[in-house]
Amino acid sequence: ILITDLAGDIEYVNEAAVQISGYPREQLLGRNPRILSSGLTPPATFQALWAALVRGEEWRGELINRRRDGSLYTEQVVITPIRQPDGRMSHYVAVKEDITEKKRTAAELDGYRSHLEDLAAERTAQLTQARRQAEAANAAKSAFLANMSHEIRTPMNAILGLTYLLGRSPRSESERTIVRRIEDAANHLLSIINDILDISK
């Protein structure tokens, strides 16, 4: 907590302000809070701050300050005018919170979230590609099976048809035995082909 006069000169600081800034109380009292300025807070922030205070309004924002040891820290600040019983402003009170660690953690989380989003997008692309490849392989397999079915069954049906015709014409017993064996073997082979194609599907 800092309390300043209307010119901005510090009249009071609590122990937390001393600890965070690294300055002894006697080096802060009577000084302007610019002693803490890092030069990294945008000028527009200070313009908005003073414009609100001069109008007698509260201001909220962030300031990037520098400790006595030179290290930077970010503060969440609320500055409010103090009014006397007659309504005139006499001081400003600034309540500050060091949010350096919070901002660092938030930045890390943003980095992790961005990395996870990238990983998720990459994995989604991989899965999409894998699905397309699987669909293409499935289509190729279906085309292959349809082609195999046609290419194998057609000659087998011809063999069975011709065997049937041979069996109808008068033949010797030995010739009929040969035709039956051809027919049995062809039926057995056709059954195996059908089983293989069914399993493949």
Side-chain angles (χ1 to χ4, degrees), residues 65-122:
N65 287 333
R66 189 179 303 278
R67 294 184 179 89
R68 185 178 183 203
D69 66 8
S71 61
L72 297 174
Y73 65 107
T74 303
E75 291 183 309
Q76 180 72 45
V77 182
V78 179
I79 304 176
T80 306
I82 297 176
R83 296 184 181 276
Q84 297 304 310
D86 62 4
R88 68 182 176 82
M89 291 188 302
S90 61
H91 294 84
Y92 300 117
V93 60
V95 179
K96 303 176 162 196
E97 178 188 3
D98 183 352
I99 60 169
T100 309
E101 189 60 24
K102 285 182 184 177
K103 289 184 77 70
R104 186 193 64 74
T105 302
E108 275 187 21
L109 288 174
D110 282 345
Y112 292 140
R113 183 171 47 249
S114 175
H115 180 63
L116 286 175
E117 287 171 355
D118 291 345
L119 286 177
E122 181 181 338

Short mmCIF file of all heavy atoms in Angstrom, two decimals, residues 65-122:
data_model
loop_
_atom_site.label_atom_id
_atom_site.label_comp_id
_atom_site.label_asym_id
_atom_site.label_seq_id
_atom_site.Cartn_x
_atom_site.Cartn_y
_atom_site.Cartn_z
N ASN A 65 7.30 -2.62 -12.92
CA ASN A 65 8.23 -1.84 -12.10
C ASN A 65 9.56 -2.56 -11.94
O ASN A 65 9.72 -3.71 -12.34
CB ASN A 65 7.60 -1.55 -10.73
CG ASN A 65 6.50 -0.51 -10.84
OD1 ASN A 65 6.51 0.33 -11.73
ND2 ASN A 65 5.53 -0.57 -9.94
N ARG A 66 10.52 -1.81 -11.34
CA ARG A 66 11.86 -2.35 -11.13
C ARG A 66 12.21 -2.23 -9.64
O ARG A 66 12.05 -1.17 -9.04
CB ARG A 66 12.88 -1.57 -11.97
CG ARG A 66 14.26 -2.21 -11.99
CD ARG A 66 15.23 -1.41 -12.86
NE ARG A 66 14.80 -1.24 -14.22
CZ ARG A 66 14.94 -2.13 -15.19
NH1 ARG A 66 15.51 -3.28 -14.92
NH2 ARG A 66 14.52 -1.88 -16.41
N ARG A 67 12.67 -3.34 -9.06
CA ARG A 67 13.08 -3.33 -7.66
C ARG A 67 14.42 -2.60 -7.49
O ARG A 67 15.11 -2.32 -8.48
CB ARG A 67 13.22 -4.77 -7.14
CG ARG A 67 11.91 -5.53 -7.08
CD ARG A 67 12.12 -6.92 -6.47
NE ARG A 67 10.86 -7.64 -6.39
CZ ARG A 67 10.37 -8.42 -7.35
NH1 ARG A 67 11.07 -8.59 -8.47
NH2 ARG A 67 9.21 -9.02 -7.20
N ARG A 68 14.79 -2.40 -6.27
CA ARG A 68 16.06 -1.73 -5.98
C ARG A 68 17.23 -2.52 -6.56
O ARG A 68 18.22 -1.95 -7.03
CB ARG A 68 16.23 -1.57 -4.47
CG ARG A 68 17.47 -0.79 -4.10
CD ARG A 68 17.56 -0.62 -2.60
NE ARG A 68 18.71 0.20 -2.26
CZ ARG A 68 19.31 0.18 -1.09
NH1 ARG A 68 18.87 -0.62 -0.15
NH2 ARG A 68 20.34 0.95 -0.86
N ASP A 69 17.11 -3.88 -6.58
CA ASP A 69 18.20 -4.72 -7.10
C ASP A 69 18.19 -4.81 -8.64
O ASP A 69 19.02 -5.49 -9.23
CB ASP A 69 18.15 -6.12 -6.49
CG ASP A 69 16.90 -6.91 -6.90
OD1 ASP A 69 16.12 -6.44 -7.78
OD2 ASP A 69 16.68 -8.00 -6.34
N GLY A 70 17.25 -4.11 -9.28
CA GLY A 70 17.20 -4.08 -10.74
C GLY A 70 16.26 -5.10 -11.36
O GLY A 70 16.00 -5.05 -12.57
N SER A 71 15.75 -6.05 -10.57
CA SER A 71 14.85 -7.05 -11.12
C SER A 71 13.47 -6.45 -11.39
O SER A 71 13.01 -5.55 -10.69
CB SER A 71 14.73 -8.25 -10.17
OG SER A 71 14.21 -7.84 -8.93
N LEU A 72 12.84 -6.97 -12.44
CA LEU A 72 11.53 -6.47 -12.84
C LEU A 72 10.42 -7.23 -12.13
O LEU A 72 10.57 -8.41 -11.80
CB LEU A 72 11.35 -6.63 -14.35
CG LEU A 72 12.31 -5.83 -15.24
CD1 LEU A 72 12.10 -6.22 -16.70
CD2 LEU A 72 12.11 -4.34 -15.04
N TYR A 73 9.31 -6.56 -11.91
CA TYR A 73 8.12 -7.22 -11.37
C TYR A 73 6.89 -6.49 -11.90
O TYR A 73 6.94 -5.31 -12.22
CB TYR A 73 8.14 -7.30 -9.85
CG TYR A 73 8.07 -5.98 -9.12
CD1 TYR A 73 6.92 -5.57 -8.46
CD2 TYR A 73 9.18 -5.13 -9.06
CE1 TYR A 73 6.86 -4.37 -7.77
CE2 TYR A 73 9.14 -3.93 -8.38
CZ TYR A 73 7.97 -3.55 -7.74
OH TYR A 73 7.92 -2.36 -7.07
N THR A 74 5.79 -7.23 -12.00
CA THR A 74 4.55 -6.66 -12.50
C THR A 74 3.56 -6.57 -11.35
O THR A 74 3.42 -7.51 -10.57
CB THR A 74 3.95 -7.54 -13.62
OG1 THR A 74 4.92 -7.67 -14.66
CG2 THR A 74 2.69 -6.91 -14.20
N GLU A 75 2.90 -5.41 -11.26
CA GLU A 75 1.93 -5.20 -10.19
C GLU A 75 0.54 -4.94 -10.76
O GLU A 75 0.40 -4.23 -11.77
CB GLU A 75 2.31 -3.98 -9.34
CG GLU A 75 3.55 -4.17 -8.52
CD GLU A 75 3.84 -2.96 -7.65
OE1 GLU A 75 3.86 -1.83 -8.17
OE2 GLU A 75 4.03 -3.16 -6.44
N GLN A 76 -0.46 -5.55 -10.11
CA GLN A 76 -1.86 -5.20 -10.37
C GLN A 76 -2.16 -4.08 -9.39
O GLN A 76 -1.95 -4.24 -8.18
CB GLN A 76 -2.76 -6.41 -10.10
CG GLN A 76 -4.22 -6.16 -10.35
CD GLN A 76 -4.53 -6.04 -11.83
OE1 GLN A 76 -4.07 -6.83 -12.64
NE2 GLN A 76 -5.29 -5.03 -12.19
N VAL A 77 -2.62 -2.95 -9.90
CA VAL A 77 -2.75 -1.75 -9.07
C VAL A 77 -4.17 -1.20 -9.12
O VAL A 77 -4.80 -1.16 -10.17
CB VAL A 77 -1.76 -0.65 -9.55
CG1 VAL A 77 -1.84 0.58 -8.66
CG2 VAL A 77 -0.35 -1.17 -9.63
N VAL A 78 -4.64 -0.78 -7.93
CA VAL A 78 -5.90 -0.01 -7.83
C VAL A 78 -5.54 1.27 -7.09
O VAL A 78 -5.05 1.24 -5.96
CB VAL A 78 -6.99 -0.79 -7.05
CG1 VAL A 78 -8.25 0.06 -6.95
CG2 VAL A 78 -7.29 -2.12 -7.71
N ILE A 79 -5.77 2.42 -7.75
CA ILE A 79 -5.47 3.72 -7.14
C ILE A 79 -6.79 4.48 -6.99
O ILE A 79 -7.55 4.62 -7.97
CB ILE A 79 -4.48 4.55 -7.97
CG1 ILE A 79 -3.19 3.75 -8.19
CG2 ILE A 79 -4.18 5.88 -7.28
CD1 ILE A 79 -2.18 4.44 -9.10
N THR A 80 -7.03 4.95 -5.77
CA THR A 80 -8.30 5.62 -5.48
C THR A 80 -8.01 6.97 -4.83
O THR A 80 -7.16 7.07 -3.94
CB THR A 80 -9.14 4.76 -4.51
OG1 THR A 80 -9.29 3.47 -5.07
CG2 THR A 80 -10.51 5.37 -4.27
N PRO A 81 -8.72 8.02 -5.24
CA PRO A 81 -8.57 9.31 -4.55
C PRO A 81 -9.14 9.23 -3.13
O PRO A 81 -10.14 8.55 -2.89
CB PRO A 81 -9.40 10.28 -5.40
CG PRO A 81 -9.61 9.58 -6.71
CD PRO A 81 -9.60 8.13 -6.41
N ILE A 82 -8.49 9.92 -2.20
CA ILE A 82 -9.00 10.04 -0.82
C ILE A 82 -9.61 11.44 -0.71
O ILE A 82 -8.98 12.43 -1.05
CB ILE A 82 -7.88 9.88 0.21
CG1 ILE A 82 -7.28 8.47 0.10
CG2 ILE A 82 -8.40 10.15 1.63
CD1 ILE A 82 -6.08 8.25 1.02
N ARG A 83 -10.86 11.49 -0.23
CA ARG A 83 -11.57 12.76 -0.10
C ARG A 83 -11.74 13.13 1.38
O ARG A 83 -11.94 12.27 2.22
CB ARG A 83 -12.93 12.69 -0.78
CG ARG A 83 -12.84 12.49 -2.28
CD ARG A 83 -14.21 12.54 -2.94
NE ARG A 83 -14.09 12.31 -4.37
CZ ARG A 83 -13.82 13.24 -5.27
NH1 ARG A 83 -13.64 14.49 -4.87
NH2 ARG A 83 -13.73 12.95 -6.54
N GLN A 84 -11.65 14.40 1.61
CA GLN A 84 -11.88 14.94 2.95
C GLN A 84 -13.39 15.12 3.16
O GLN A 84 -14.17 15.04 2.21
CB GLN A 84 -11.13 16.26 3.12
CG GLN A 84 -9.62 16.13 3.00
CD GLN A 84 -9.06 15.13 3.98
OE1 GLN A 84 -9.36 15.19 5.18
NE2 GLN A 84 -8.26 14.19 3.49
N PRO A 85 -13.80 15.38 4.41
CA PRO A 85 -15.24 15.55 4.68
C PRO A 85 -15.91 16.62 3.81
O PRO A 85 -17.09 16.51 3.48
CB PRO A 85 -15.29 15.94 6.17
CG PRO A 85 -14.05 15.32 6.75
CD PRO A 85 -13.01 15.40 5.65
N ASP A 86 -15.14 17.62 3.40
CA ASP A 86 -15.74 18.67 2.56
C ASP A 86 -15.80 18.28 1.09
O ASP A 86 -16.25 19.05 0.24
CB ASP A 86 -14.98 19.99 2.74
CG ASP A 86 -13.53 19.91 2.30
OD1 ASP A 86 -13.11 18.83 1.78
OD2 ASP A 86 -12.79 20.90 2.48
N GLY A 87 -15.29 17.06 0.74
CA GLY A 87 -15.38 16.56 -0.63
C GLY A 87 -14.14 16.77 -1.46
O GLY A 87 -14.01 16.19 -2.55
N ARG A 88 -13.22 17.57 -0.98
CA ARG A 88 -12.02 17.80 -1.79
C ARG A 88 -11.06 16.62 -1.68
O ARG A 88 -10.99 15.95 -0.66
CB ARG A 88 -11.31 19.10 -1.40
CG ARG A 88 -10.69 19.08 -0.05
CD ARG A 88 -10.04 20.41 0.34
NE ARG A 88 -9.56 20.33 1.69
CZ ARG A 88 -8.40 19.79 2.05
NH1 ARG A 88 -7.59 19.29 1.14
NH2 ARG A 88 -8.05 19.75 3.32
N MET A 89 -10.35 16.36 -2.79
CA MET A 89 -9.36 15.29 -2.80
C MET A 89 -8.09 15.78 -2.11
O MET A 89 -7.65 16.91 -2.34
CB MET A 89 -9.01 14.86 -4.24
CG MET A 89 -10.14 14.17 -4.95
SD MET A 89 -9.65 13.46 -6.54
CE MET A 89 -9.05 14.90 -7.42
N SER A 90 -7.50 14.89 -1.26
CA SER A 90 -6.28 15.29 -0.58
C SER A 90 -5.12 14.32 -0.84
O SER A 90 -3.96 14.73 -0.78
CB SER A 90 -6.52 15.38 0.94
OG SER A 90 -6.91 14.10 1.43
N HIS A 91 -5.45 13.08 -1.13
CA HIS A 91 -4.41 12.07 -1.32
C HIS A 91 -4.89 11.02 -2.32
O HIS A 91 -6.08 10.98 -2.68
CB HIS A 91 -4.08 11.35 0.01
CG HIS A 91 -3.47 12.23 1.02
ND1 HIS A 91 -4.22 13.05 1.86
CD2 HIS A 91 -2.15 12.45 1.36
CE1 HIS A 91 -3.41 13.71 2.66
NE2 HIS A 91 -2.15 13.37 2.37
N TYR A 92 -3.95 10.17 -2.70
CA TYR A 92 -4.27 8.97 -3.48
C TYR A 92 -3.75 7.77 -2.71
O TYR A 92 -2.64 7.80 -2.17
CB TYR A 92 -3.61 8.99 -4.87
CG TYR A 92 -4.02 10.16 -5.72
CD1 TYR A 92 -3.07 11.10 -6.14
CD2 TYR A 92 -5.33 10.33 -6.13
CE1 TYR A 92 -3.43 12.17 -6.94
CE2 TYR A 92 -5.71 11.40 -6.93
CZ TYR A 92 -4.75 12.32 -7.32
OH TYR A 92 -5.12 13.37 -8.11
N VAL A 93 -4.53 6.72 -2.66
CA VAL A 93 -4.08 5.49 -2.04
C VAL A 93 -3.98 4.42 -3.13
O VAL A 93 -4.90 4.25 -3.93
CB VAL A 93 -5.00 5.01 -0.89
CG1 VAL A 93 -6.42 4.75 -1.36
CG2 VAL A 93 -4.44 3.77 -0.21
N ALA A 94 -2.82 3.75 -3.18
CA ALA A 94 -2.58 2.70 -4.18
C ALA A 94 -2.45 1.37 -3.46
O ALA A 94 -1.60 1.21 -2.57
CB ALA A 94 -1.31 3.01 -4.97
N VAL A 95 -3.31 0.45 -3.84
CA VAL A 95 -3.22 -0.92 -3.32
C VAL A 95 -2.65 -1.76 -4.45
O VAL A 95 -3.23 -1.84 -5.54
CB VAL A 95 -4.61 -1.44 -2.88
CG1 VAL A 95 -4.51 -2.88 -2.38
CG2 VAL A 95 -5.21 -0.53 -1.82
N LYS A 96 -1.51 -2.40 -4.18
CA LYS A 96 -0.78 -3.10 -5.24
C LYS A 96 -0.59 -4.57 -4.88
O LYS A 96 -0.45 -4.91 -3.71
CB LYS A 96 0.60 -2.46 -5.45
CG LYS A 96 0.56 -0.99 -5.79
CD LYS A 96 1.99 -0.47 -5.86
CE LYS A 96 2.07 0.84 -6.59
NZ LYS A 96 3.44 1.14 -6.98
N GLU A 97 -0.58 -5.39 -5.92
CA GLU A 97 -0.30 -6.82 -5.73
C GLU A 97 0.74 -7.24 -6.75
O GLU A 97 0.59 -6.96 -7.95
CB GLU A 97 -1.58 -7.65 -5.93
CG GLU A 97 -1.34 -9.14 -5.79
CD GLU A 97 -2.55 -9.98 -6.17
OE1 GLU A 97 -3.58 -9.41 -6.60
OE2 GLU A 97 -2.44 -11.21 -6.07
N ASP A 98 1.79 -7.90 -6.26
CA ASP A 98 2.83 -8.42 -7.16
C ASP A 98 2.26 -9.65 -7.88
O ASP A 98 1.98 -10.68 -7.26
CB ASP A 98 4.07 -8.80 -6.35
CG ASP A 98 5.23 -9.29 -7.24
OD1 ASP A 98 5.02 -9.47 -8.45
OD2 ASP A 98 6.32 -9.49 -6.69
N ILE A 99 2.06 -9.53 -9.20
CA ILE A 99 1.47 -10.63 -9.97
C ILE A 99 2.48 -11.24 -10.94
O ILE A 99 2.10 -11.92 -11.89
CB ILE A 99 0.20 -10.16 -10.73
CG1 ILE A 99 0.54 -9.02 -11.69
CG2 ILE A 99 -0.90 -9.77 -9.76
CD1 ILE A 99 -0.59 -8.69 -12.66
N THR A 100 3.76 -10.99 -10.69
CA THR A 100 4.81 -11.49 -11.58
C THR A 100 4.72 -12.99 -11.76
O THR A 100 4.73 -13.51 -12.89
CB THR A 100 6.20 -11.12 -11.03
OG1 THR A 100 6.23 -9.72 -10.75
CG2 THR A 100 7.30 -11.48 -12.01
N GLU A 101 4.61 -13.72 -10.64
CA GLU A 101 4.57 -15.19 -10.70
C GLU A 101 3.29 -15.67 -11.38
O GLU A 101 3.31 -16.62 -12.16
CB GLU A 101 4.68 -15.77 -9.28
CG GLU A 101 4.86 -17.27 -9.24
CD GLU A 101 6.13 -17.75 -9.93
OE1 GLU A 101 7.09 -16.97 -10.06
OE2 GLU A 101 6.15 -18.91 -10.38
N LYS A 102 2.17 -14.99 -11.08
CA LYS A 102 0.90 -15.36 -11.73
C LYS A 102 1.00 -15.21 -13.24
O LYS A 102 0.54 -16.07 -14.00
CB LYS A 102 -0.25 -14.47 -11.22
CG LYS A 102 -0.73 -14.79 -9.84
CD LYS A 102 -1.89 -13.87 -9.48
CE LYS A 102 -2.36 -14.08 -8.07
NZ LYS A 102 -3.43 -13.15 -7.69
N LYS A 103 1.61 -14.12 -13.70
CA LYS A 103 1.73 -13.89 -15.14
C LYS A 103 2.68 -14.91 -15.78
O LYS A 103 2.42 -15.39 -16.88
CB LYS A 103 2.21 -12.45 -15.42
CG LYS A 103 1.15 -11.41 -15.12
CD LYS A 103 1.61 -10.02 -15.49
CE LYS A 103 1.55 -9.76 -16.97
NZ LYS A 103 0.22 -9.66 -17.54
N ARG A 104 3.77 -15.24 -15.05
CA ARG A 104 4.70 -16.23 -15.57
C ARG A 104 4.01 -17.59 -15.71
O ARG A 104 4.13 -18.28 -16.73
CB ARG A 104 5.92 -16.35 -14.67
CG ARG A 104 7.02 -17.26 -15.22
CD ARG A 104 8.06 -17.61 -14.17
NE ARG A 104 7.52 -18.36 -13.07
CZ ARG A 104 7.18 -19.65 -13.15
NH1 ARG A 104 7.31 -20.32 -14.28
NH2 ARG A 104 6.70 -20.27 -12.09
N THR A 105 3.26 -17.95 -14.68
CA THR A 105 2.53 -19.22 -14.71
C THR A 105 1.49 -19.23 -15.83
O THR A 105 1.34 -20.22 -16.54
CB THR A 105 1.85 -19.47 -13.34
OG1 THR A 105 2.85 -19.46 -12.33
CG2 THR A 105 1.11 -20.79 -13.32
N ALA A 106 0.77 -18.12 -15.98
CA ALA A 106 -0.24 -18.03 -17.04
C ALA A 106 0.41 -18.15 -18.42
O ALA A 106 -0.13 -18.82 -19.31
CB ALA A 106 -1.00 -16.71 -16.93
N ALA A 107 1.58 -17.52 -18.58
CA ALA A 107 2.29 -17.62 -19.87
C ALA A 107 2.73 -19.05 -20.14
O ALA A 107 2.63 -19.55 -21.27
CB ALA A 107 3.49 -16.68 -19.87
N GLU A 108 3.20 -19.74 -19.08
CA GLU A 108 3.60 -21.14 -19.24
C GLU A 108 2.39 -22.00 -19.63
O GLU A 108 2.48 -22.84 -20.52
CB GLU A 108 4.19 -21.68 -17.93
CG GLU A 108 5.66 -21.40 -17.76
CD GLU A 108 6.23 -22.10 -16.52
OE1 GLU A 108 5.63 -23.08 -16.04
OE2 GLU A 108 7.28 -21.63 -16.06
N LEU A 109 1.27 -21.76 -18.94
CA LEU A 109 0.06 -22.52 -19.25
C LEU A 109 -0.40 -22.27 -20.68
O LEU A 109 -0.84 -23.19 -21.38
CB LEU A 109 -1.05 -22.18 -18.26
CG LEU A 109 -0.86 -22.73 -16.84
CD1 LEU A 109 -1.95 -22.21 -15.91
CD2 LEU A 109 -0.86 -24.25 -16.85
N ASP A 110 -0.31 -21.01 -21.11
CA ASP A 110 -0.66 -20.70 -22.50
C ASP A 110 0.24 -21.45 -23.47
O ASP A 110 -0.22 -21.96 -24.49
CB ASP A 110 -0.55 -19.18 -22.76
CG ASP A 110 -1.74 -18.41 -22.20
OD1 ASP A 110 -2.76 -19.07 -21.88
OD2 ASP A 110 -1.64 -17.18 -22.07
N GLY A 111 1.54 -21.49 -23.12
CA GLY A 111 2.48 -22.23 -23.97
C GLY A 111 2.14 -23.72 -24.03
O GLY A 111 2.15 -24.32 -25.10
N TYR A 112 1.82 -24.29 -22.85
CA TYR A 112 1.45 -25.71 -22.81
C TYR A 112 0.17 -25.95 -23.59
O TYR A 112 0.05 -26.92 -24.34
CB TYR A 112 1.26 -26.19 -21.36
CG TYR A 112 2.52 -26.24 -20.55
CD1 TYR A 112 2.55 -25.84 -19.22
CD2 TYR A 112 3.71 -26.71 -21.11
CE1 TYR A 112 3.72 -25.89 -18.48
CE2 TYR A 112 4.88 -26.76 -20.37
CZ TYR A 112 4.87 -26.35 -19.05
OH TYR A 112 6.03 -26.40 -18.32
N ARG A 113 -0.82 -25.05 -23.40
CA ARG A 113 -2.10 -25.21 -24.09
C ARG A 113 -1.89 -25.13 -25.61
O ARG A 113 -2.42 -25.93 -26.37
CB ARG A 113 -3.10 -24.14 -23.63
CG ARG A 113 -4.46 -24.28 -24.26
CD ARG A 113 -5.53 -23.37 -23.67
NE ARG A 113 -5.11 -22.00 -23.51
CZ ARG A 113 -4.91 -21.39 -22.35
NH1 ARG A 113 -5.05 -22.06 -21.23
NH2 ARG A 113 -4.54 -20.13 -22.29
N SER A 114 -1.07 -24.17 -26.03
CA SER A 114 -0.79 -24.04 -27.46
C SER A 114 -0.10 -25.29 -27.99
O SER A 114 -0.43 -25.79 -29.06
CB SER A 114 0.09 -22.80 -27.69
OG SER A 114 0.46 -22.71 -29.04
N HIS A 115 0.86 -25.81 -27.18
CA HIS A 115 1.58 -27.03 -27.59
C HIS A 115 0.61 -28.21 -27.68
O HIS A 115 0.67 -28.99 -28.64
CB HIS A 115 2.69 -27.33 -26.59
CG HIS A 115 3.50 -28.55 -26.91
ND1 HIS A 115 4.26 -28.66 -28.06
CD2 HIS A 115 3.64 -29.73 -26.25
CE1 HIS A 115 4.84 -29.85 -28.09
NE2 HIS A 115 4.47 -30.52 -27.01
N LEU A 116 -0.28 -28.33 -26.69
CA LEU A 116 -1.26 -29.42 -26.71
C LEU A 116 -2.21 -29.29 -27.91
O LEU A 116 -2.58 -30.29 -28.53
CB LEU A 116 -2.06 -29.44 -25.40
CG LEU A 116 -1.31 -29.96 -24.17
CD1 LEU A 116 -2.16 -29.80 -22.92
CD2 LEU A 116 -0.91 -31.42 -24.35
N GLU A 117 -2.60 -28.05 -28.22
CA GLU A 117 -3.47 -27.84 -29.38
C GLU A 117 -2.75 -28.26 -30.66
O GLU A 117 -3.34 -28.88 -31.54
CB GLU A 117 -3.90 -26.37 -29.45
CG GLU A 117 -4.92 -26.00 -28.39
CD GLU A 117 -5.18 -24.50 -28.32
OE1 GLU A 117 -4.50 -23.72 -29.05
OE2 GLU A 117 -6.05 -24.09 -27.54
N ASP A 118 -1.44 -27.93 -30.74
CA ASP A 118 -0.66 -28.34 -31.91
C ASP A 118 -0.57 -29.86 -32.00
O ASP A 118 -0.71 -30.44 -33.08
CB ASP A 118 0.75 -27.73 -31.85
CG ASP A 118 0.75 -26.22 -32.05
OD1 ASP A 118 -0.28 -25.68 -32.51
OD2 ASP A 118 1.77 -25.58 -31.74
N LEU A 119 -0.32 -30.50 -30.83
CA LEU A 119 -0.23 -31.96 -30.81
C LEU A 119 -1.56 -32.60 -31.21
O LEU A 119 -1.60 -33.58 -31.95
CB LEU A 119 0.18 -32.46 -29.42
CG LEU A 119 1.63 -32.25 -29.01
CD1 LEU A 119 1.85 -32.72 -27.57
CD2 LEU A 119 2.58 -32.99 -29.95
N ALA A 120 -2.66 -32.02 -30.68
CA ALA A 120 -3.99 -32.56 -31.01
C ALA A 120 -4.27 -32.41 -32.49
O ALA A 120 -4.81 -33.33 -33.14
CB ALA A 120 -5.06 -31.85 -30.18
N ALA A 121 -3.92 -31.26 -33.05
CA ALA A 121 -4.14 -31.04 -34.49
C ALA A 121 -3.30 -32.01 -35.32
O ALA A 121 -3.78 -32.57 -36.31
CB ALA A 121 -3.80 -29.58 -34.85
N GLU A 122 -2.04 -32.20 -34.88
CA GLU A 122 -1.16 -33.13 -35.60
C GLU A 122 -1.71 -34.55 -35.53
O GLU A 122 -1.73 -35.27 -36.53
CB GLU A 122 0.23 -33.07 -34.98
CG GLU A 122 1.25 -33.98 -35.65
CD GLU A 122 2.62 -33.92 -34.99
OE1 GLU A 122 2.91 -32.91 -34.32
OE2 GLU A 122 3.38 -34.88 -35.13
#
